[in-house]
Amino acid sequence: MIRIGLDIGGTGIKIGAVDESNRIIAQTSIPTRQDLPFETQVDQMADAVLGLLDPSVDPRLTMDQVESIGAGIPGLADDNGIVIFCTNMGWKNVPLRESFQRRINKPFYVDNDANVAALAESIAGVSAGTSSSVFITLGTGIGCGIMINGKIWKGFHGIGGEMGHMILELDGEPCTCGNRGCLERYCSATALIQMARRMVAGHPESLILSLAGNDPMKIVAKTVFDALREGDPFAEKLFRRYVSCLSQSIANVVNFLDPEVILLGGGVSKAGDVLLNAVREEYPKYVVYGDMPMPPIRIAALGADAGIIGAAMLS
Amino acid sequence: MIRIGLDIGGTGIKIGAVDESNRIIAQTSIPTRQDLPFETQVDQMADAVLGLLDPSVDPRLTMDQVESIGAGIPGLADDNGIVIFCTNMGWKNVPLRESFQRRINKPFYVDNDANVAALAESIAGVSAGTSSSVFITLGTGIGCGIMINGKIWKGFHGIGGEMGHMILELDGEPCTCGNRGCLERYCSATALIQMARRMVAGHPESLILSLAGNDPMKIVAKTVFDALREGDPFAEKLFRRYVSCLSQSIANVVNFLDPEVILLGGGVSKAGDVLLNAVREEYPKYVVYGDMPMPPIRIAALGADAGIIGAAMLS
């Protein structure tokens, strides 16, 4: 049997067939077309799934073999397969399951992309075999997927996992959500970049600026880590501040929920060991029971595949 | 059948027998004696349980009828009934279950008092019938008990539920734990009292000071609420700040975990509707999905009995 996963993103939709060993055996993609009506979007996705089912590529790629279809969306869906909203697709209260099943009559599931990634990692990735985990995505914003007792935890009303808008600083940095001091303003790639731009405005001698071709708008998260590796003291200072904020955010999760493991994903996590080692050293300082065993921090393993694999695993 | 609950507190240990309708049918108490050796403390507790079993008071008060015995402690215990620490009793890594069972051979359970109170409310109190809840105690410190899928959630390593030390303000108020900006420094009764003392130092004309007999050290949480009811503008200002901090803390729980219901208990919750109504109005402003259904806020119902009832319900 195979399962189909759709990873619905801002610029493209990736579609993959996943086998019983959680491997992607076939994959395709279509562009995200926010301009089309909902039913046409669903048609295009269904057509892409049908196009993927080519037994000449792999004998398992037939409709008979398809056990279920799942979709991960950057938005909110309920248990009936209704997408409450998904800004990237222009969806608000659309019956994704019902519409999709009119084209392909298989069990269909939809969930938030951060939840989907947490699920994928907990089955086939770096948290495989754990019963509880919190997956934090350090990207443009902060994504968060929570696994409890081996299942995605979306909250009773389906509004949980919004770690990026937990308040980390009373009356702090203004956030796009309208509040102040949201964790996302301190721990996302965007936050790191903004901190770097402010830093080079005051310290144009920082290596960060020259590595960005002397254009502050070209600074990305990687620029800061590149300058850090070169020993730039301004990058070091930024990094320390970022690690402190991230460590306090992780400690908040541990002091409150204490999952079996914490995963980091997203763009900033590509910094790898330099980030991981710093956070591992720093975060226990903020844990109440600092001398007790506490969740290890790991970097997510599945990368971009987590979206397809996790969506395929939805049930 | 009956179950015995021990509520181990800083000044006294309350012992009660709870029937199948979750009612306390007999109750006694002994003083907390931190100065005695552990085995003697256990002996005294066991003697108090034996003393409670008087069938002339209620025919069910016999050892045959006792199904289990549970203890709630202001500290940390593991699943083997070992108390990792409990400062009030002077305990560190003591085998409470084993020692107790040497005196009374019944199933014996021990858990943190905030967890025990959350359990009691979820079975016999204001969150009865819910599957998930977060019980926040606004007392000298901040206690927190989390229920998920009908069970106490202590975290994988047993160190969760320490909401009082989640950081609400980067580089904020110094906390007794050694860190800065812990939620407890903004939302506990102690925090409210400290804010009030600072306030009256600058504004001796505040009604808070006269209601405290002009002695700032006599200000308690109730003083602030009494002054608020009398229309004191300084009390109003303090209250607004307190409600804002508490609302942001509650929103953090909702944005992250989204339980079915949030309960407030402890000294400050005695303010009742004035607090409840203000928080109910304020906290949704900080919830990402502010127009979706979200957890109702309720004030705990069992009060001081929650300690005995919840301990008796441990299993």
Side-chain angles (χ1 to χ4, degrees):
Chain A
M1 301 296 280
I2 58 168
R3 298 157 74 102
I4 307 290
L6 289 91
D7 179 4
I8 300 178
T11 53
I13 299 169
K14 292 186 286 181
I15 300 113
V18 176
D19 73 6
E20 288 170 356
S21 310
N22 307 316
R23 269 187 300 249
I24 299 176
I25 59 169
Q27 190 169 348
T28 184
S29 70
I30 55 173
T32 300
R33 290 286 302 275
Q34 200 184 344
D35 54 308
L36 297 177
F38 171 63
E39 291 294 344
T40 315
Q41 292 171 327
V42 173
D43 274 338
Q44 291 192 342
M45 289 189 278
D47 287 341
V49 171
L50 295 174
L52 196 68
L53 296 176
D54 178 355
S56 74
V57 173
D58 185 302
R60 292 168 294 179
L61 290 169
T62 67
M63 190 55 79
D64 278 356
Q65 285 288 312
V66 175
E67 203 175 329
S68 64
I69 301 175
I73 56 161
L76 206 65
D78 72 12
D79 291 338
N80 301 315
I82 291 169
V83 176
I84 297 167
F85 73 89
C86 174
T87 313
N88 281 341
M89 298 297 283
W91 294 346
K92 206 171 172 187
N93 293 314
V94 295
L96 186 59
R97 173 184 296 164
E98 195 190 312
S99 298
F100 204 94
Q101 286 182 329
R102 247 182 257 144
R103 287 292 312 278
I104 302 177
N105 192 18
K106 292 281 181 183
F108 184 92
Y109 307 99
V110 53
D111 208 327
N112 172 269
D113 53 7
N115 292 341
V116 157
L119 176 65
E121 293 287 343
S122 79
I123 296 180
V126 78
S127 51
T130 65
S131 64
S132 60
S133 55
V134 172
F135 184 169
I136 308 169
T137 317
L138 310 170
T140 309
I142 296 283
C144 174
I146 303 171
M147 302 289 302
I148 292 181
N149 297 331
K151 290 185 176 169
I152 292 173
W153 177 268
K154 313 203 247 188
F156 183 81
H157 311 85
I159 59 172
E162 285 297 332
M163 188 176 161
H165 297 282
M166 290 173 81
I167 287 157
L168 186 62
E169 184 168 40
L170 289 171
D171 313 313
E173 299 276 336
C175 184
T176 49
C177 74
N179 287 316
R180 300 184 79 100
C182 293
L183 190 156
E184 191 162 288
R185 298 275 65 80
Y186 303 84
C187 299
S188 63
T190 311
L192 181 63
I193 293 164
Q194 279 173 348
M195 282 195 277
R197 285 183 185 149
R198 279 185 215 164
M199 172 70 88
V200 300
H203 297 281
E205 70 272 33
S206 166
L207 197 56
I208 297 172
L209 189 57
S210 51
L211 288 177
N214 290 312
D215 180 356
M217 297 314 288
K218 287 193 180 145
I219 296 171
V220 293
K222 189 175 175 296
T223 325
V224 178
F225 288 100
D226 286 345
L228 179 70
R229 237 183 319 270
E230 300 284 326
D232 179 56
F234 303 102
E236 172 77 20
K237 198 172 169 189
L238 276 182
F239 176 66
R240 286 288 145 214
R241 174 69 178 165
Y242 180 82
V243 166
S244 171
C245 293
L246 180 59
S247 296
Q248 292 183 66
S249 303
I250 290 172
N252 279 358
V253 168
V254 173
N255 280 328
F256 184 67
L257 193 69
D258 176 24
E260 190 169 352
V261 56
I262 302 264
L263 307 188
L264 300 180
V268 181
S269 77
K270 288 181 188 157
D273 281 348
V274 64
L275 179 70
L276 200 55
N277 292 336
V279 170
R280 279 175 174 163
E281 192 186 324
E282 176 106 355
Y283 108 82
K285 295 177 193 170
Y286 303 104
V287 173
V288 176
Y289 302 114
D291 52 357
M292 294 270 294
M294 64 183 74
I297 315 282
R298 297 182 194 151
I299 288 185
L302 299 173
D305 289 345
I308 287 175
I309 296 174
M313 283 165 177
L314 286 172
S315 62
Chain B
M1 299 298 279
I2 58 169
R3 297 157 75 101
I4 307 291
L6 289 90
D7 179 6
I8 299 178
T11 53
I13 300 170
K14 291 186 285 179
I15 301 114
V18 176
D19 71 8
E20 288 171 352
S21 309
N22 307 316
R23 269 187 299 248
I24 299 176
I25 59 168
Q27 189 169 350
T28 185
S29 70
I30 55 173
T32 300
R33 289 288 302 274
Q34 200 183 345
D35 53 309
L36 297 176
F38 170 63
E39 291 294 344
T40 315
Q41 292 172 328
V42 172
D43 273 338
Q44 291 193 342
M45 289 189 279
D47 288 340
V49 170
L50 295 175
L52 197 68
L53 297 175
D54 178 356
S56 74
V57 173
D58 186 303
R60 293 168 291 179
L61 291 169
T62 67
M63 191 56 80
D64 279 358
Q65 285 287 313
V66 175
E67 203 174 332
S68 65
I69 301 175
I73 56 161
L76 205 65
D78 72 11
D79 291 338
N80 300 315
I82 291 169
V83 175
I84 297 166
F85 74 89
C86 174
T87 313
N88 281 341
M89 297 297 283
W91 294 345
K92 207 170 173 186
N93 294 313
V94 295
L96 186 60
R97 174 184 294 165
E98 195 190 313
S99 297
F100 204 93
Q101 286 181 329
R102 246 182 258 142
R103 285 293 313 277
I104 303 178
N105 192 17
K106 293 283 181 178
F108 184 92
Y109 307 99
V110 53
D111 207 326
N112 172 267
D113 52 7
N115 293 342
V116 158
L119 175 64
E121 293 288 343
S122 80
I123 297 181
V126 78
S127 53
T130 64
S131 63
S132 60
S133 55
V134 173
F135 184 168
I136 308 169
T137 316
L138 311 169
T140 309
I142 295 282
C144 173
I146 303 172
M147 301 290 303
I148 292 180
N149 297 331
K151 289 184 178 169
I152 292 173
W153 177 268
K154 314 202 245 191
F156 183 81
H157 309 84
I159 60 172
E162 285 297 331
M163 186 175 164
H165 297 282
M166 291 174 80
I167 285 156
L168 186 62
E169 184 168 41
L170 289 171
D171 313 312
E173 299 278 336
C175 185
T176 50
C177 74
N179 287 316
R180 299 183 78 99
C182 294
L183 190 154
E184 192 162 287
R185 297 274 65 81
Y186 303 84
C187 300
S188 63
T190 311
L192 181 62
I193 293 165
Q194 279 173 347
M195 283 196 276
R197 285 183 185 149
R198 280 185 214 164
M199 172 70 87
V200 300
H203 296 281
E205 69 273 32
S206 167
L207 196 57
I208 296 171
L209 189 56
S210 51
L211 288 177
N214 290 312
D215 180 357
M217 297 314 287
K218 289 196 179 142
I219 295 171
V220 293
K222 188 174 177 295
T223 325
V224 177
F225 287 102
D226 286 345
L228 179 70
R229 235 184 320 268
E230 301 283 323
D232 179 56
F234 303 102
E236 172 77 22
K237 199 171 170 190
L238 276 183
F239 176 68
R240 287 287 145 216
R241 176 68 177 168
Y242 180 82
V243 165
S244 171
C245 294
L246 180 59
S247 297
Q248 292 182 65
S249 303
I250 291 172
N252 278 359
V253 169
V254 173
N255 281 327
F256 184 67
L257 192 69
D258 177 24
E260 190 170 350
V261 56
I262 303 262
L263 307 188
L264 300 180
V268 181
S269 77
K270 288 181 188 157
D273 282 349
V274 63
L275 178 71
L276 199 56
N277 292 337
V279 170
R280 279 175 175 163
E281 191 186 324
E282 177 105 353
Y283 109 82
K285 295 177 192 167
Y286 304 103
V287 174
V288 177
Y289 302 116
D291 51 357
M292 294 270 293
M294 65 183 73
I297 316 282
R298 295 181 196 154
I299 288 187
L302 299 174
D305 290 345
I308 288 176
I309 296 174
M313 282 164 177
L314 287 172
S315 62

